[in-house]
Structures are given as structure tokens and as C-alpha cells.
Amino acid sequence: MKGLLALSRAIDFVNEHIGRLLYWAVLVMVLVSAGNATLRYALSMASNAWLELQWYLFSAVFLLCSGYTLKHNEHIRIDVVISNLSRRKQIWIDIFGTVFFLLPMSIYIMWASWPVFMNAWTSGEVSGSAGGLIRWPARLLVPAGFLLLSLQGISELIKRFAYLQGLIPDPVEHHEDPALEQLQVEVPKK
């Protein structure tokens, strides 16, 4: 189990750093959106490339942060249904959902989206809009995002089995939000 926990920590490390890096993509997306709106309404100028860049950035944040979201337990859950169950039963429900729903779905989407990316890559697919961008980077986001989600699902499985064996504390109990951690300032005592 030590080796699996090391693998889990490595997956967590990758998704944590990708998630934190993509905080900046949100800022860039807002700036591009504001710039587009300003140019369109103030100067009557528009650019399909900049509009598509907004779409690419949104897709990157949404898809590449799915593993990060799962790591921080911020995904959609059924807490209302399972809140009255014991912690062990909740963990078993998490394991069941990961094995029979999350992993099959994410692996299938990753597998099914790979040929779409490869087709865009080999054909040099370009947007149909005048002045649009190449499409393969956006097509690559789908399999990459679902790969990160699948890996994080495996990490969460490892942590839950380790918890059930008494090797680690509850992986969900001490939820920390890194964005809030960065904003917290120590208040001086009176």
C-alpha cells in the first residue's frame, strides 16, 4: 500500500499544480473577454480569434481542473442522501461510485475523444470562422482533462482504501481550500 499511496501523492501533486496554474487562465479569460467587449462596443472592432481564445480558455479551465475539483471534494455529491450513514458506509459508496460510474465514464470519454483530436491534428483543422484559430489544441483538452480526472479517481480510490485499512486519516474530513488559504490573513488579537 505504500507504493500506491506514493502514486496517489504524485497524482495529487500533478492535479494540484495544474489547478493552481489554471487560476491564471481565469484571469486571462476575463481580460480577453473585457478587451473583446471594449473593442467591439467602443471601436466597432471584432475578432473571431479572440472570441475563440475565450472559448479555449474556458474549456481548459473546465476540463483540466476536473481532477483538481475531485481532489478538493468540490464535485457534485449525494451528501443529502448519505449524510445519515456511517463514515465507513459513505466511503464504500464513494468507492462504488468511482469504480462503476466515474472511472468507466471518464476512461470512455478519454478513449472516444482521442480519434477526434488525432483527426484535427493530422488534418490541420482550422475554425470555420474567418480569422479563427486552429482546432487541435481545443480537441486535445478533452482527452487530457479526462485523463487527469481518471488519474484523480484512482488517487481517491487509493486514499479511501487506505483509510478503510486505518493507514491514513479520513481523506475528505480535513478539506482545505487553497484559494481561501491564500486569502487568509492573520488577524491581530486585541
Side-chain angles (χ1 to χ4, degrees):
M1 190 56 120
K2 273 186 175 181
L4 290 175
L5 285 170
L7 173 64
S8 175
R9 281 190 301 276
I11 292 168
D12 288 355
F13 178 85
V14 167
N15 273 316
E16 182 69 29
H17 282 79
I18 289 172
R20 286 178 184 247
L21 178 66
L22 285 168
Y23 285 171
W24 294 103
V26 174
L27 175 62
V28 172
M29 188 172 38
V30 168
L31 294 174
V32 168
S33 179
N36 275 337
T38 302
L39 288 174
R40 185 172 49 246
Y41 293 113
L43 304 175
S44 297
M45 295 173 57
S47 167
N48 287 331
W50 286 102
L51 290 172
E52 288 181 11
L53 180 61
Q54 285 176 236
W55 173 65
Y56 284 19
L57 290 168
F58 175 77
S59 299
V61 169
F62 180 79
L63 290 164
L64 299 179
C65 284
S66 59
Y68 175 84
T69 303
L70 180 59
K71 177 185 180 293
H72 288 281
N73 200 34
E74 295 293 332
H75 56 289
I76 297 172
R77 300 187 47 87
I78 56 169
D79 289 342
V80 173
V81 176
I82 68 170
S83 61
N84 294 327
L85 299 177
S86 71
R87 189 65 192 129
R88 288 185 71 79
K89 286 180 182 174
Q90 291 176 7
I91 293 289
W92 278 110
I93 289 171
D94 280 352
I95 290 170
F96 179 83
T98 301
V99 169
F100 292 104
F101 295 105
L102 174 75
L103 288 177
M105 179 271 314
S106 61
I107 291 169
Y108 174 75
I109 293 173
M110 180 178 52
W111 172 78
S113 63
W114 185 255
V116 175
F117 157 68
M118 288 305 298
N119 184 41
W121 172 268
T122 57
S123 70
E125 181 182 356
V126 178
S127 170
S129 302
L133 302 175
I134 56 173
R135 286 286 167 98
W136 70 262
R139 305 276 192 227
L140 179 60
L141 291 172
V142 177
F146 281 95
L147 172 64
L148 292 171
L149 180 60
S150 298
L151 290 172
Q152 192 61 45
I154 291 166
S155 174
E156 296 304 313
L157 274 179
I158 292 168
K159 289 186 275 191
R160 276 149 181 80
F161 279 117
Y163 168 75
L164 290 173
Q165 294 177 1
L167 300 174
I168 63 170
D170 188 343
V172 179
E173 191 67 32
H174 300 291
H175 172 71
E176 296 174 4
D177 186 347
L180 290 178
E181 286 175 21
Q182 291 175 355
L183 294 175
Q184 290 176 349
V185 177
E186 192 170 316
V187 179
K189 294 182 181 179
K190 292 181 181 181

